[in-house]
Amino acid sequence: MTTAERPATSRRPATGASIRVRNAKKSYGPTVVLENLDLNIEPGEFVTLLGPSGSGKSTLLNAIAGLENLTGGTIEVDGRDLTRVPAHKRGFGMVFQSYALFPHLTVAENVGYPLRVRHMGARDRRLQVQKYLELVALGHVADRLPSQLSGGQQQRVSLARAMVFEPSVLLMDEPLGALDRNLRQSLQFEIRKLQLEAGSTVIYVTHDHDEALSMSDKVALLNDGRIVQLASPRDLYRNPRNSYVAAAFGETSLLQCTLDPGHAGLTAHLTGSGQILRVPEHTNHTCTGGEGFLAVRPEMATIVGPGDPRAHLHGMLESVAFMGDIWRCEVRVGTETLIATAPSGAALAYQPGQDIGLTLDLDSLRLVAI
């Protein structure tokens, strides 16, 4: 699979704040949730915290929001230490999976609530509410109650309410998790467009890898309370630091191997099949001690005939699935399985159980640490 392209949207000069998390620790009794975690976010960046349940991403977001107190470490926003400042004094916008709208207030009244508690005048408040309702394409429902809206509309109201006072930092915790796939994809682009136009700093929590890749300037991948890698979506996908990062995105096949350096490149000895693969010397690799994994994305491997001279590896075709634009093929290479593709424009020439060859995009392969 490949990452989605973000919409071409003009970016305003960043008005958001910088955020520095230093040596953050959070424990609940003997259970450690965050451990010696550092995170730097520049003004106007959209940074996604990604990881499985229990990785610490929501705890980190809540600590930045002021909803959780750290056991140790500091949080600075634009150089100001906010570690012990309560949430209501931080001035951040927040959007959650639950819409948390006031059921007895109209859409316009919900969106205008943050401005009312900040004592903005009625005329200015009305104009600001109108502006943000138009930005989320909900100007026509300003007088409706939340119960009269769809789930997607309610989430857009929640987003407008969080952004209407133009906070320097916007925090979002799984805001699209309760929506269906098509609506999630539509709102992903809306959120990103609004953020680019506003210039706010956004920290976004999700467990959806595609969502993280399509929306973010940077993604922080967490595991066991630590950031495993912080990088742009492209770098995370193309240059994973280790096997955990490689496996986090797409259907990555990890073939265990040992490496021998040579004059013309690297020789990867595949542990599961005994096959040998020569890879270019410039291939990105983080292996230490000569042991690691060959990370192969499905789009990097194409099946060919068993006698095809272009084949880099050989295996047995285990299964085939039609995916619209491609055939998805599972290939047994020794004791391991590799996911490959074939063009779907014509009938597949190979059947499960048949020996086949595999051509690899050698320049895109990555050798990663265990």
Side-chain angles (χ1 to χ4, degrees):
M1 63 173 288
T2 58
T3 62
E5 291 293 331
R6 292 197 295 269
T9 304
S10 60
R11 181 192 287 268
R12 271 182 49 183
T15 58
S18 64
I19 299 173
R20 303 286 182 264
V21 180
R22 292 285 180 269
N23 200 31
K25 302 181 180 73
K26 179 64 179 180
S27 300
Y28 298 99
T31 303
V32 178
V33 183
L34 299 176
E35 187 172 6
N36 302 319
L37 185 145
D38 292 330
L39 177 63
N40 293 332
I41 300 175
E42 299 304 321
E45 281 191 325
F46 192 120
V47 175
T48 295
L49 307 180
L50 175 68
S53 297
S55 61
K57 57 188 187 296
S58 289
T59 300
L60 176 58
L61 185 83
N62 288 335
I64 294 171
L67 302 174
E68 294 269 8
N69 290 323
L70 291 176
T71 308
T74 60
I75 297 170
E76 292 184 0
V77 177
D78 275 347
R80 181 186 171 206
D81 189 346
L82 298 186
T83 310
R84 300 302 171 190
V85 174
H88 69 278
K89 292 186 177 181
R90 299 192 183 192
F92 297 164
M94 300 193 69
V95 184
F96 298 97
Q97 183 172 337
S98 59
Y99 314 128
L101 301 176
F102 297 113
H104 61 289
L105 299 183
T106 66
V107 166
E109 290 168 339
N110 266 284
V111 174
Y113 182 80
L115 302 178
R116 185 157 64 86
V117 299
R118 287 167 172 80
H119 308 294
M120 179 181 282
R123 180 179 178 279
D124 290 341
R125 185 168 71 240
R126 185 172 60 255
L127 292 174
Q128 189 75 343
V129 168
Q130 182 180 352
K131 171 186 173 182
Y132 275 87
L133 283 179
E134 292 299 332
L135 282 174
V136 297
L138 289 177
H140 62 292
V141 299
D143 296 327
R144 295 184 190 176
L145 293 172
S147 60
Q148 298 174 293
L149 305 180
S150 68
Q153 288 174 323
Q154 290 186 58
Q155 191 58 283
R156 295 211 297 272
V157 173
S158 179
L159 177 63
R161 183 180 61 183
M163 297 188 71
V164 71
F165 63 100
E166 298 181 345
S168 61
V169 176
L170 181 61
L171 307 176
M172 311 182 78
D173 192 359
E174 302 266 14
L176 308 181
L179 305 177
D180 65 67
R181 181 176 179 83
N182 288 339
L183 187 54
R184 282 205 314 270
Q185 291 179 335
S186 173
L187 285 179
Q188 285 171 26
F189 291 113
E190 287 193 32
I191 290 171
R192 181 57 169 162
K193 180 180 178 182
L194 284 171
Q195 184 264 340
L196 289 172
E197 291 176 348
S200 303
T201 299
V202 172
I203 305 178
Y204 188 98
V205 166
T206 185
H207 64 274
D208 187 303
H209 303 114
D210 292 340
E211 197 168 280
L213 292 175
S214 66
M215 297 178 73
S216 314
D217 292 312
K218 291 180 183 175
V219 178
L221 182 62
L222 281 80
N223 189 37
D224 292 335
R226 296 176 180 269
I227 294 177
V228 182
Q229 187 170 349
L230 171 66
S232 70
R234 183 177 180 83
D235 278 348
L236 271 181
Y237 192 83
R238 296 292 185 184
N239 302 307
R241 177 172 295 171
N242 55 35
S243 58
Y244 177 81
V245 180
F249 300 101
E251 289 188 297
T252 306
S253 303
L254 295 172
L255 306 180
Q256 192 166 2
C257 63
T258 57
L259 292 179
D260 290 328
H263 295 296
L266 298 169
T267 300
H269 299 266
L270 302 186
T271 306
S273 66
Q275 297 185 59
I276 295 175
L277 179 68
R278 298 285 297 177
V279 296
E281 189 174 4
H282 65 263
T283 299
N284 181 290
H285 67 91
T286 57
C287 304
T288 57
E291 295 185 354
F293 290 97
L294 183 69
V296 186
R297 307 283 188 194
E299 67 270 18
M300 299 175 188
T302 303
I303 65 172
V304 294
D308 194 310
R310 299 171 297 169
H312 298 105
L313 296 175
H314 294 85
M316 184 193 73
L317 184 61
E318 288 192 318
S319 66
V320 175
F322 180 73
M323 305 297 290
D325 56 340
I326 60 166
W327 294 96
R328 177 188 179 277
C329 308
E330 294 189 1
V331 180
R332 174 64 63 174
V333 180
T335 60
E336 299 172 309
T337 298
L338 185 149
I339 308 299
T341 61
S344 64
L348 193 66
Y350 314 106
Q351 300 297 321
Q354 183 177 350
D355 290 336
I356 59 166
L358 288 162
T359 63
L360 304 177
D361 180 358
L362 297 181
D363 288 331
S364 298
L365 297 179
R366 293 297 177 261
L367 294 156
V368 297
I370 296 174

